[in-house]
Amino acid sequence: MQTLEQTHQKFSQLKSLLSEIEDLYGAEAVLHWDQKTYMPAKGIEARGRQLATLNRIAYEKFTDGTIAQLLDDLTTYERDSPYDSDEASLIRLTRRNCDLASKVPTEFEVRFSLLRTECYQAWATARQENNFALVQPTLERMLDMSREYSSFFPEAQHIADPHITGSDYGMSAVSIREVFAELRAQLVPVVEAITSQPPVDNSCLHQHYPEAEQLAFCHNILKQMGYDLERGRQDKTLHPFMTKFSIDDVRITTRVYENDLIQGLFSTIHEMGHAFYELGNAPELEGTPLAGGVSSGVHESQSRLWENLIGRSRPFWQYFYPQLQAHFPSQLGAVSLETFYSAINRVDRSLIRTDADEITYNLHVMIRFDLELDLLEGKLTVKDLPAAWNDRYLSDLGVIPTSDSNGVLQDVHWYTGQIGGMFQGYTLGNLMSAQFFDAAVAAHPEIPDRIETGNFTVLHDWLQANIYLHGRKFTAAETIERVTGSTLGTKPLIDYVHRKYGSLYKL
Ligand code: ZN
């Protein structure tokens, strides 16, 4: 029988061990960020080794048995603490992570970390040279290792489930297939109705927009939307991402094209949405695994909410468009708000996921999700992947990639993460973003009016109180239930699509 004092001592020992591990992850994040922003190409070999070393130390610390023993000793403490308390939540989450890690050998983790660095670099070259063959052998090893990872979870119902569990805990290949099929059935007729109309003229977005001026405007948007530049910064990269070194250093990256105004703009708002989430965690969660976002779907719900439901909305541009016109007078001075608003919401069958409108975007995700399952199930080989990719683009979106770079090489995920569980979060996030936004507007009907005046705090504060603050205390299903009172569903997103695009395209 352990005294209360001993229990508290064990809990604080657990916290301090976890905090050391979080520091190692923070250091890894700095190295990753540097690799993807400023590192010279030849730094890659040493960088891969450094990342693998940090990863191994963190992993060994986590799995050497000390934490597992502390968790055992804290079973009663967890049971006696309220479910939503920091204490019970930390023990619960750590136990879940520990069970997971105990199944994967350290040797495998180290090998996988090295392969990821190697594959990322091979992808970058292959993409630049527009040649899938340059990365094919490395990606074949990536598929082998992704399958090997699943083999550590023999109880999984589907070979993709261990990967899905890693990013969207509580979801499975079967449950996602079901919700995707339902969504797809409702989206396809909308896409057909829209694309049978003459395309919207979006030439105003494809004039010459100098990079430096685009970055300056993005910086201005970040400031006005409330991204704290003393707790974050924005840099350029090949594939935009958000990264956290600590609760007070949450960074974002972007890419800018001089002939396309919206890439930089919307990737900035997207990554800022991710950053809001991490910056909004309760300070008490800092240095524990409870800091962060619930799952890839819930994280994505925040980036997509800010990017699409706000950033592509009329009220948002009623406020920002005069500023944008003043920033680019020769390009946009004579372009009306209506023309600009229609242009940024143009729906078409396109090749690139990150350029896609918010409706067809989900079809891009579903293609990747299905291909991942086919690869893992052994129905598709890596060698045949580019052709399978092109076939699906033709049948689902009516377009054929003209090259590997705008086909199978466009996304970094499979080349830097693993094959499996990498894409479903985007569409799960879209579904949740509509659900969360409906709940926010139900609580504060004035939100759209406030946005029209450049005030984002009502929405931000509501998201902070309901989602950001809690970090990873709850699962995705619990979060949706707590915030909206219901379960994950397709109706809010479909209703939103009909409302917005019904009027844009007179459907
Ligand atoms: Zn994102």
Side-chain angles (χ1 to χ4, degrees):
M1 184 73 188
Q2 127 192 323
T3 65
L4 197 60
E5 195 184 332
Q6 285 169 325
T7 301
H8 285 159
Q9 205 181 359
K10 289 193 172 179
F11 185 72
S12 71
Q13 195 190 343
L14 176 70
K15 269 184 90 171
S16 79
L17 270 172
L18 291 172
S19 154
E20 284 178 21
I21 294 169
E22 289 298 311
D23 285 343
L24 291 165
Y25 290 150
E28 264 187 67
V30 179
L31 294 186
H32 268 297
W33 171 85
D34 174 71
Q35 182 191 331
K36 289 172 184 176
T37 50
Y38 298 109
M39 190 190 77
K42 291 197 171 163
I44 189 61
E45 209 186 312
R47 183 54 46 89
R49 203 179 55 234
Q50 291 154 352
L51 281 165
T53 301
L54 283 175
N55 201 268
R56 176 178 50 78
I57 298 171
Y59 196 78
E60 283 170 358
K61 238 179 183 350
F62 192 61
T63 54
D64 72 1
T66 318
I67 287 178
Q69 183 59 53
L70 286 167
L71 290 172
D72 267 358
D73 297 344
L74 289 164
T75 310
T76 312
Y77 184 54
E78 179 192 2
R79 202 184 52 218
D80 294 344
S81 305
Y83 184 83
D84 62 355
S85 65
D86 290 358
E87 291 78 9
S89 302
L90 182 66
I91 297 168
R92 185 170 64 243
L93 178 66
T94 307
R95 181 168 288 127
R96 204 169 89 197
N97 293 342
C98 212
D99 286 347
L100 207 118
S102 69
K103 296 185 176 160
V104 185
T106 311
E107 166 280 324
F108 175 87
E109 284 291 335
V110 173
R111 242 186 325 128
F112 210 10
S113 170
L114 284 168
L115 178 62
R116 282 170 167 150
T117 307
E118 188 186 332
C119 200
Y120 174 80
Q121 224 58 23
W123 166 78
T125 310
R127 185 169 187 259
Q128 198 172 13
E129 298 191 11
N130 188 22
N131 185 356
F132 178 77
L134 295 177
V135 69
Q136 186 191 314
T138 328
L139 191 63
E140 278 166 354
R141 285 160 53 212
M142 195 63 132
L143 177 59
D144 289 344
M145 288 203 76
S146 302
R147 295 174 59 91
E148 190 181 345
Y149 179 84
S150 296
S151 73
F152 301 128
F153 303 85
E155 73 289 358
Q157 288 192 340
H158 188 280
I159 187 169
D161 283 353
H163 296 291
I164 293 170
T165 300
S167 46
D168 286 290
Y169 180 82
M171 307 291 292
S172 67
V174 170
S175 67
I176 295 167
R177 265 181 171 151
E178 195 179 321
V179 74
F180 279 11
E182 188 185 314
L183 181 63
R184 186 189 177 86
Q186 297 176 84
L187 286 182
V188 167
V190 180
V191 174
E192 274 163 9
I194 291 177
T195 52
S196 67
Q197 299 185 21
V200 164
D201 178 10
N202 65 353
S203 56
C204 64
L205 305 175
H206 298 287
Q207 307 173 71
H208 181 69
Y209 291 96
E211 179 179 298
E213 287 171 30
Q214 284 197 52
L215 290 171
F217 190 78
C218 288
H219 194 78
N220 168 42
I221 283 210
L222 287 172
K223 272 208 298 217
Q224 291 191 61
M225 291 184 79
Y227 178 63
D228 184 348
L229 289 154
E230 292 192 338
R231 297 171 68 205
R233 54 178 284 132
Q234 184 180 42
D235 295 88
K236 282 198 308 164
T237 188
L238 202 55
H239 203 96
F241 63 95
M242 178 274 312
T243 184
K244 181 185 73 171
F245 305 156
S246 75
I247 200 168
D248 287 317
D249 189 351
V250 182
R251 303 186 185 191
I252 58 174
T253 56
T254 191
R255 66 173 166 210
V256 165
Y257 296 124
E258 294 206 318
N259 64 350
D260 180 359
L261 179 61
I262 59 179
Q263 273 281 337
L265 200 56
F266 288 112
S267 82
T268 295
I269 302 174
H270 180 99
E271 300 307 333
M272 184 205 67
H274 282 304
F276 274 173
Y277 196 170
E278 304 271 343
L279 289 163
N281 285 171
E284 306 83 79
L285 306 183
E286 168 77 332
T288 78
L290 289 175
V294 167
S295 64
S296 110
V298 178
H299 226 305
E300 208 56 29
S301 78
Q302 295 313 300
S303 55
R304 308 291 289 172
L305 189 154
W306 286 103
E307 176 192 355
N308 288 333
L309 286 95
I310 305 305
R312 287 179 210 266
S313 74
R314 198 189 297 271
F316 182 87
W317 288 105
Q318 275 166 333
Y319 179 71
F320 274 116
Y321 192 57
Q323 295 183 33
L324 187 66
Q325 280 181 305
H327 201 79
F328 295 109
S330 66
Q331 296 93 330
L332 295 173
V335 176
S336 71
L337 171 62
E338 267 327 290
T339 302
F340 176 79
Y341 176 66
S342 305
I344 61 169
N345 286 299
R346 170 170 141 155
V347 174
D348 54 7
R349 303 172 185 273
S350 65
L351 290 173
I352 310 288
R353 176 183 63 87
T354 53
D355 293 355
D357 58 85
E358 52 187 327
I359 303 181
T360 60
Y361 188 93
N362 299 298
L363 304 179
H364 289 261
V365 170
M366 291 175 199
I367 291 175
R368 288 154 176 76
F369 182 71
D370 291 344
L371 290 175
E372 277 187 330
L373 296 193
D374 286 351
L375 286 164
L376 286 168
E377 287 171 6
K379 287 183 186 159
L380 175 66
T381 63
V382 168
K383 185 168 166 288
D384 294 333
L385 178 62
W389 179 286
N390 294 356
D391 286 350
R392 279 297 298 270
Y393 264 78
L394 183 60
S395 65
D396 291 24
L397 284 152
V399 288
I400 309 175
T402 49
S403 69
D404 291 340
S405 292
N406 61 22
V408 71
L409 291 174
Q410 67 180 266
D411 286 317
V412 67
H413 307 54
W414 291 334
Y415 309 92
T416 193
Q418 76 259 338
I419 293 175
M422 294 308 286
F423 288 99
Q424 75 286 331
Y426 294 114
T427 284
L428 294 176
N430 282 337
L431 292 167
M432 291 179 212
S433 71
Q435 289 186 272
F436 292 149
F437 190 63
D438 279 359
V441 174
H444 296 282
E446 73 278 19
I447 284 175
D449 290 343
R450 291 291 166 87
I451 286 166
E452 202 180 310
T453 63
N455 178 333
F456 300 96
T457 49
V458 180
L459 175 60
H460 183 275
D461 291 352
W462 186 90
L463 291 168
Q464 169 126 7
N466 286 281
I467 299 171
Y468 304 164
L469 204 62
H470 308 294
R472 307 183 63 202
K473 279 184 166 182
F474 307 108
T475 65
E478 288 166 350
T479 302
I480 299 169
E481 173 72 38
R482 285 169 55 93
V483 176
T484 71
S486 59
T487 54
L488 179 73
T490 58
K491 192 173 182 301
L493 182 65
I494 291 296
D495 287 351
Y496 159 77
V497 163
H498 282 287
R499 226 169 26 240
K500 178 171 172 181
Y501 291 89
S503 94
L504 264 167
Y505 283 92
K506 318 246 174 330
L507 297 178

